[in-house]
C-alpha cells in the first residue's frame, strides 16, 4: 500500500461524470469555493460533442503557488461514471484517493491496492430524501460536493453563500440546495475522516477574475471599436459572438434614442459571414467574425480578397481538433499554417497568439487597430482550452479615453488640398497606402475595389511589371507588421545554457511550471513565448543564440516549427519537435518529461502523465 498523499492547497481533483447529468453546476460550485477560500484554481472541462449520455470530465488544479496549467496526474478522482471507471481509476496517482458512489457494492478487482477508497452511498442518500427522479439526480451532485467539502476542509459557509448567490433570482431553490449540501456534509462528518489533501484559507487570489477567453475576446472587440459581427455557429467559437452581443446590448446603445449602435448578423454560412465582414471593413466599420478550423477552410477566397484589395477584417479563430469535423470539443493549435497562408496564391497574414483571457482581451482590441493600420485581415488565434474554459486572470484595463488607430485614411481636406491619391500607392516606403472611406469627397478620392490585378491608382492591369510592383509592396507591408505585432516574451534561465524552448498560446501556463520542474533538476533552458506573426528579429536571434531549440506545440505536424523554418531559413536540425495533440490541454509533466528525455536526463515518476 502506498503512503496516502498529503498536501495543502496543491493537488488535482478530477470529476468523471456523464454529459447531461447536471454535474456541471455542482463542479463549478466546487471550483468557486476554492477561489473564495483565496486559493488559485485552474479548471478544464473535457466534454463530448454529443448532447447527452457520453463521458465528460472536469479537472481542477488547486495550486497556492499559482500554477494555472494542467500538471498531469490525478490526486483525487471523483468517479461518478461507471462507463469510464477502469480508465478513471487508472489515472489516480499512487497513494491518491478514489471517491465514488458506494450504494451498490463493487468487486475488489475494480479497485487498486495502492490507492485510498472513499465510498459514499450517494444514490441511497438522494433516493431517501427525494422522490422526483430529476431532483434525485441533480441533488446527488450537490450531496457529493457537500461530502467533499468536509473531507477536504473547505468551509461549508462558503458553499452556502455561493448557493444563495447562484439562486438569487430563484430564492425558493436556495433552501433545497443547502439542504442537499448538508446531507453530504453530515454523512461525511459521521462516517469519513479528512483526507491528506486539504484546502486551507489563503490570500493568493487577490483581485483576479475568473473568466473564459471567448468572453474576454468578445469584450476586447467592444473595447477595440468593433461595431459589426457576422458569424455562423460553430464549436468552440459560438460563445465569443454571444459575449460580444451581450456586451453590445450594455455598452453600444445610444443613451438618448435607445437605438443600437452595432450590427450583429448570424449569416447562413461561414462564407457569407466573412463576406459581410469584408464589406463592412471596406465601408469603414470595424468588423469581425469568429469561427474555427472548418470555417477558415470555407473563408479562403474572401480572405484572399481582403489581402489583395487591402480591406481591414478581423477573424477570431478558436482552434479545435481537426482535420474535417475532427474533434469539435477538443483543443489543438492546429490552424497555424492554414491561417498564416490562407487563400490561394502568395498570401501571408498577421496572427496574434494570446496566452490567456487577459491577452484575449488585449489582443482582441489590438486586432482592430492593426487591421485598420495594415488594411488586411488579422487573425486572433485562440483555442478551445483558452476560449471555453474559465481562467484566473488580472482584471482588464479599460480606458474610456482610448483613441482608435484608423491608420492611413485620406480625408476630404487632404484631397481638397491636392494630395496625390493612389489607392495602392506607397508614399513612405512601409508598403501601406492611403485609403478613403466611401463618400469622403464629392468628386475626389474614389477608386474601384477589385480582386484582380491593378496598378497603383487602382486601374485594372495585368502587366507583369505592375503585378510584381504590387506584390512586392505587399511584402514590404508584411515586413512593417513585424514591429506592430506583440513582441515575444523572454524568460532567461538562471544559468547560461545552450538550450532554448519556443512556445505560444495556451501552452504557456503548463510551460511555466515545466520550466520550474526542469530547473529543480539542474536542466536549464532559456524560453521565448511567441506572441505574433510575422516573427520579429528577436525570435530568430533567440534561435541562433542556442545550439538546440525545442518547439512545443499542440498539433501533429509541428506547424510553428514549419513556419520558423520557412520564414527564417532555419536549419531543421536546430529545432526539435515537442508535440502534444490528443485533444486534451498539454500538461507540465508531459513537457518536462519530453524535454528532459531529449536533453538526456532520465524520466521521473509521473512525468509522462497527461
Amino acid at each position: 500500500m502506498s503512503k496516502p498523499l498529503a498536501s495543502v492547497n496543491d493537488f488535482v481533483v478530477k470529476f468523471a461524470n456523464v454529459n447531461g447529468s447536471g454535474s456541471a453546476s455542482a463542479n463549478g460550485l466546487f471550483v468557486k469555493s476554492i477561489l473564495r477560500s483565496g486559493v488559485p484554481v485552474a479548471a478544464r472541462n473535457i466534454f463530448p460533442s454529443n448532447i447527452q449520455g457520453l463521458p465528460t470530465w472536469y479537472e481542477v488544479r488547486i495550486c497556492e503557488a499559482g500554477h494555472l496549467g494542467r500538471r498531469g496526474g490525478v490526486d483525487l478522482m471523483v468517479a461518478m461514471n461507471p462507463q469510464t471507471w477502469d480508465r478513471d481509476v487508472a489515472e489516480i496517482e499512487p497513494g491518491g484517493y478514489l471517491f465514488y458512489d458506494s450504494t451498490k457494492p463493487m468487486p475488489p478487482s475494480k479497485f487498486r491496492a495502492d490507492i485510498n477508497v472513499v465510498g459514499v452511498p450517494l444514490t441511497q442518500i438522494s433516493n431517501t430524501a427525494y422522490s422526483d427522479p430529476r431532483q434525485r439526480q441533480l441533488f446527488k451532485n450537490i450531496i457529493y460536493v457537500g461530502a467533499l467539502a468536509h473531507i477536504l476542509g473547505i468551509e461549508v459557509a462558503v458553499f452556502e453563500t455561493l448557493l444563495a448567490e447562484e439562486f438569487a433570482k430563484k430564492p425558493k431553490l436556495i433552501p433545497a440546495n443547502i439542504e442537499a449540501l448538508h446531507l453530504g456534509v453530515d454523512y461525511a462528518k459521521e462516517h469519513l475522516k479528512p483526507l491528506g489533501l486539504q484546502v486551507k484559507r489563503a490570500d493568493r487570489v487577490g483581485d483576479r477574475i475568473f473568466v473564459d477567453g471567448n468572453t474576454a475576446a468578445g469584450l476586447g472587440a467592444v473595447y477595440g471599436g468593433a461595431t459589426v459581427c457576422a458569424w455562423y455557429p460553430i464549436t468552440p467559437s459560438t460563445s465569443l459572438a454571444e459575449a460580444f452581443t451581450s456586451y453590445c446590448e450594455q455598452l453600444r446603445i445610444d443613451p438618448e434614442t435607445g437605438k443600437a449602435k452595432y450590427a450583429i448578423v448570424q449569416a447562413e454560412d461561414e462564407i457569407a459571414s466573412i463576406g459581410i465582414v469584408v464589406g463592412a471593413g471596406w465601408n469603414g466599420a470595424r468588423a469581425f467574425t469568429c469561427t474555427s478550423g472548418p470555417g477558415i477552410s470555407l473563408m479562403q477566397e474572401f480572405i484572399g480578397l481582403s489581402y489583395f484589395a487591402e480591406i481591414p477584417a478581423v477573424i477570431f479563430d478558436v482552434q479545435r481538433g481537426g482535420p474535417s469535423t475532427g474533434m469539435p470539443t477538443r483543443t489543438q493549435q492546429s490552424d497555424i499554417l492554414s491561417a498564416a497562408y490562407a487563400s490561394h496564391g502568395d498570401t501571408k497574414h498577421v496572427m496574434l497568439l494570446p496566452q490567456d483571457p487577459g491577452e484575449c482581451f488585449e489582443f482582441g482590441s489590438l486586432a482592430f487597430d492593426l487591421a485598420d493600420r495594415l488594411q488586411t485581415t488579422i487573425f486572433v488565434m485562440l483555442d478551445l482550452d483558452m476560449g471555453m474554459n474559465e481562467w484566473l486572470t488580472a482584471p482588464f484595463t479599460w480606458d474610456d479615453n482610448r483613441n482608435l488607430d484608423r491608420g492611413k485614411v485620406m480625408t476630404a481636406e487632404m484631397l481638397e488640398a491636392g494630395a496625390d491619391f493612389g489607392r495602392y500607392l506607397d508614399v513612405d516606403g512601409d508598403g501601406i497606402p492611403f485609403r478613403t472611406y466611401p463618400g469622403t469627397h464629392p468628386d475626389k478620392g474614389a477608386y474601384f475595389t477589385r480582386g484582380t490585378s491593378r496598378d497603383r491608382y487602382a486601374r485594372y492591369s495585368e502587366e507583369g511589371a505592375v503585378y510584381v510592383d504590387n506584390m512586392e509592396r505587399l511584402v514590404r507591408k508584411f515586413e512593417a507588421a513585424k514591429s506592430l505585432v506583440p513582441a515575444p516574451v523572454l524568460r532567461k534561465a538562471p544559468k547560461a545554457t545552450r538550450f532554448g524552448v519556443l512556445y505560444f498560446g495556451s501552452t504557456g501556463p503548463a510551460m511555466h511550471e515545466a520550466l520550474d520542474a526542469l530547473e529543480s533538476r539542474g536542466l536549464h533552458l532559456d524560453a521565448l513565448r511567441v506572441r505574433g506573426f510575422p516573427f520579429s528579429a528577436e525570435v530568430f536571434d533567440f534561435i541562433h543564440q542556442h545550439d538546440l531549440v525545442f518547439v512545443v506545440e499542440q498539433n501533429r505536424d509541428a506547424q510553428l516549427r514549419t513556419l520558423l523554418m520557412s520564414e527564417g531559413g532555419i536549419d531543421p536540425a536546430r529545432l526539435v519537435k515537442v508535440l502534444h495533440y490528443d485533444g486534451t490541454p498539454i500538461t507540465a509533466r508531459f513537457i518536462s518529461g519530453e524535454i528532459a528525455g531529449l536533453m538526456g536526463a532520465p524520466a521521473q515518476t509521473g512525468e509522462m502523465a497527461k
Side-chain angles (χ1 to χ4, degrees), residues 362-394:
E362 178 188 348
F363 294 3
S365 171
L366 173 64
F368 294 93
D369 278 354
L370 292 180
D372 274 354
R373 180 85 174 268
L374 293 165
Q375 301 172 29
T376 194
T377 293
I378 307 295
F379 285 90
V380 186
M381 306 296 289
L382 290 75
D383 58 40
L384 185 145
D385 179 30
M386 191 190 318
M388 294 191 70
N389 288 319
E390 292 177 304
W391 294 43
L392 200 58
T393 191

Side-chain angles (χ1 to χ4, degrees), residues 124-195:
Q124 179 184 324
I125 297 170
S126 185
N127 288 353
T128 301
Y130 308 102
S131 57
D132 179 80
R134 186 58 176 164
Q135 278 190 328
R136 285 176 169 177
Q137 176 59 54
L138 294 177
F139 285 129
K140 184 171 77 170
N141 299 326
I142 301 299
I143 292 168
Y144 75 61
V145 168
L148 289 171
H150 177 72
I151 63 178
L152 292 174
I154 308 171
E155 299 167 19
V156 176
V158 172
F159 286 98
E160 293 174 341
T161 300
L162 286 167
L163 286 169
E165 294 172 359
E166 179 76 17
F167 297 107
K169 294 183 179 179
K170 298 178 181 179
K172 291 183 179 179
L173 297 177
I174 297 173
N177 278 273
I178 290 179
E179 177 188 24
L181 177 77
H182 279 278
L183 287 174
V185 173
D186 293 343
Y187 181 91
K189 282 182 178 179
E190 184 176 349
H191 298 93
L192 304 176
K193 296 180 180 180
L195 302 188

Side-chain angles (χ1 to χ4, degrees), residues 484-495:
L484 300 177
V485 299
V489 177
L490 175 66
R491 168 174 164 161
K492 289 286 291 181
K495 295 183 179 180

Side-chain angles (χ1 to χ4, degrees), residues 8-264:
V8 175
N9 293 348
D10 188 7
F11 54 93
V12 175
V13 181
K14 191 169 186 178
F15 296 84
N17 299 103
V18 176
N19 200 34
S21 64
S23 59
S25 296
N27 297 343
L29 182 70
F30 176 82
V31 167
K32 291 175 184 176
S33 74
I34 310 294
L35 289 170
R36 289 290 177 92
S37 300
V39 182
V41 168
R44 262 78 181 187
N45 189 17
I46 302 170
F47 59 100
S49 57
N50 76 326
I51 296 174
Q52 189 168 349
L54 287 181
T56 182
W57 293 270
Y58 192 69
E59 186 175 294
V60 182
R61 176 73 191 284
I62 299 162
C63 185
E64 186 174 345
H67 292 305
L68 299 178
R70 290 182 72 216
R71 184 199 70 186
V74 177
D75 302 315
L76 167 60
M77 178 67 74
V78 182
M80 295 291 116
N81 187 356
Q83 291 178 304
T84 60
W85 176 274
D86 293 339
R87 172 181 172 181
D88 297 332
V89 170
E91 282 193 63
I92 303 171
E93 298 281 286
Y97 302 86
L98 170 66
F99 180 102
Y100 80 108
D101 182 355
S102 60
T103 300
K104 293 183 179 180
M106 299 282 285
S109 61
K110 287 294 185 179
F111 299 97
R112 282 170 44 192
D114 62 342
I115 62 174
N116 304 281
V117 178
V118 181
V120 178
L122 296 166
T123 301
Q124 179 184 324
I125 297 170
S126 185
N127 288 353
T128 301
Y130 308 102
S131 57
D132 179 80
R134 186 58 176 164
Q135 278 190 328
R136 285 176 169 177
Q137 176 59 54
L138 294 177
F139 285 129
K140 184 171 77 170
N141 299 326
I142 301 299
I143 292 168
Y144 75 61
V145 168
L148 289 171
H150 177 72
I151 63 178
L152 292 174
I154 308 171
E155 299 167 19
V156 176
V158 172
F159 286 98
E160 293 174 341
T161 300
L162 286 167
L163 286 169
E165 294 172 359
E166 179 76 17
F167 297 107
K169 294 183 179 179
K170 298 178 181 179
K172 291 183 179 179
L173 297 177
I174 297 173
N177 278 273
I178 290 179
E179 177 188 24
L181 177 77
H182 279 278
L183 287 174
V185 173
D186 293 343
Y187 181 91
K189 282 182 178 179
E190 184 176 349
H191 298 93
L192 304 176
K193 296 180 180 180
L195 302 188
L197 308 175
Q198 290 289 293
V199 175
K200 299 295 184 184
R201 183 166 286 279
D203 187 19
R204 298 299 300 273
V205 174
D207 65 350
R208 284 183 287 179
I209 58 177
F210 200 51
V211 65
D212 63 87
N214 282 353
T215 296
L219 183 58
V222 175
Y223 185 55
T227 56
V228 177
C229 169
W231 65 292
Y232 183 78
I234 182 172
T235 302
S237 71
T238 295
S239 60
L240 199 160
E242 292 172 342
F244 179 75
T245 302
S246 175
Y247 286 122
C248 282
E249 290 171 349
Q250 301 173 51
L251 302 170
R252 289 242 189 281
I253 301 295
D254 189 304
E256 296 182 1
T257 65
K259 292 184 177 180
K261 298 189 292 183
Y262 59 90
I264 298 172

Side-chain angles (χ1 to χ4, degrees), residues 421-505:
F421 175 66
R423 176 62 185 93
Y424 303 107
L425 180 65
D426 185 0
V427 297
D428 52 16
D430 65 358
I432 305 171
F434 273 87
R435 61 176 173 144
T436 56
Y437 296 138
T440 294
H441 192 280
D443 55 24
K444 298 177 181 179
Y447 63 94
F448 191 88
T449 304
R450 65 176 87 242
T452 47
S453 181
R454 72 276 148 165
D455 67 13
R456 297 176 180 183
Y457 290 87
R459 295 172 301 210
Y460 172 73
S461 172
E462 291 188 14
E463 290 185 26
V466 170
Y467 174 81
V468 169
D469 175 69
N470 189 61
M471 293 298 285
E472 289 183 348
R473 180 184 56 77
L474 290 171
V475 170
R476 292 197 300 274
K477 184 168 74 168
F478 196 70
E479 286 293 312
K482 292 180 178 180
S483 64
L484 300 177
V485 299
V489 177
L490 175 66
R491 168 174 164 161
K492 289 286 291 181
K495 295 183 179 180
T497 177
R498 64 186 185 89
F499 296 104
V501 61
L502 284 167
Y503 61 102
F504 69 99

